[in-house]
Structure formats: structure tokens, C-alpha cells
Amino acid sequence: VQLVESGGGLVQAGGSLRLSCAASGSIFSINIMGWYRQAPGKERELVAAITNYHSTNYDDSVKGRFTISRDNAKNMVYLQMNSLKPEDTAVYYCNLDHRTSYGARPYVYWGQGTQVTVSS
């Protein structure tokens, strides 16, 4: 399995960016795709996640500003980021957690990351 992110860049505060992640390889139908971010000197944190049934979960800091979505047919996951703030600056990583059945061990994969920089 490979994950490739795109869409990062430099944007002014209040602006928008859309991140995309393309997953390739053999992916089990039971899966969660998500976006994590890591700012300098900080731990990697979950931003948003979406299950194969399109159930979503967001960190409180991005609720109402970010939207995660996916296209199961294309094995794509997206993160629409609006009203960006300087504190959103980080490397954003795509994540895939998939398993053969509920309760089975997960297989976890990461993309290479894409930089998002929000200037004030």
C-alpha cells in the first residue's frame, strides 16, 4: 500500500487549501483514512478521520473549518481546510488503518507528508 499526498502550500490566514491523498495497492474494505499533522517541536496529532462508511471524526481545533471526505471508488481522501490560522501550520500526513475484519489486527500506513504554511 502506498499513500501520496498533494495540495499543500503557503496561504495567508483566512485562506483555504485542499489536501488530497491517493491510496494504491490492496486495501481491505474495513478501513479508516485520516489526516494527521505535526508542527515543529510537537507530537503528531489527529486532525480528522473518516471510515469506509463515511463516519467522520475531527479534532476540536478544526471543527467547523475543515472537512474530510473520501471517494471509495478512487481510493482517495480529501481535507478541505477553510479559515486557516497560523497555528494550522504543520506537515500534514495521510494515514490508512485497514484490517481484514472487525477486531483483527490493523495494518497502518503513512504518506510522506505535505507542508502547509499559514502566514499571519
Side-chain angles (χ1 to χ4, degrees):
V1 173
Q2 286 190 324
L3 303 175
V4 179
E5 302 104 332
S6 61
L10 173 63
V11 65
Q12 288 189 333
S16 298
L17 283 174
R18 187 190 193 215
L19 304 183
S20 299
C21 174
S24 61
S26 182
I27 299 171
F28 303 133
S29 59
I30 300 170
N31 64 77
I32 300 172
M33 297 192 77
W35 290 96
Y36 288 69
R37 66 187 179 188
Q38 187 167 20
K42 295 188 176 182
E43 293 187 354
R44 191 173 297 189
E45 61 178 7
L46 175 67
V47 176
I50 183 167
T51 71
N52 50 296
Y53 292 110
H54 300 267
S55 176
T56 60
N57 180 46
Y58 295 92
D59 183 79
D60 286 345
S61 66
V62 306
K63 283 181 180 177
R65 300 189 297 123
F66 291 9
T67 302
I68 190 169
S69 60
R70 64 187 289 168
D71 184 332
N72 288 340
K74 296 180 179 180
N75 286 334
M76 296 286 296
V77 64
Y78 308 97
L79 186 68
Q80 178 67 43
M81 305 184 294
N82 298 329
S83 302
L84 282 161
K85 304 176 181 180
E87 51 263 45
D88 294 319
T89 295
V91 178
Y92 284 70
Y93 296 91
C94 181
N95 170 272
L96 168 68
D97 173 330
H98 69 156
R99 57 198 73 196
T100 55
S101 63
Y102 293 109
R105 58 152 288 188
Y107 295 86
V108 181
Y109 300 89
W110 295 92
Q112 81 286 356
T114 185
Q115 177 70 45
V116 171
T117 303
V118 184
S119 62
S120 57

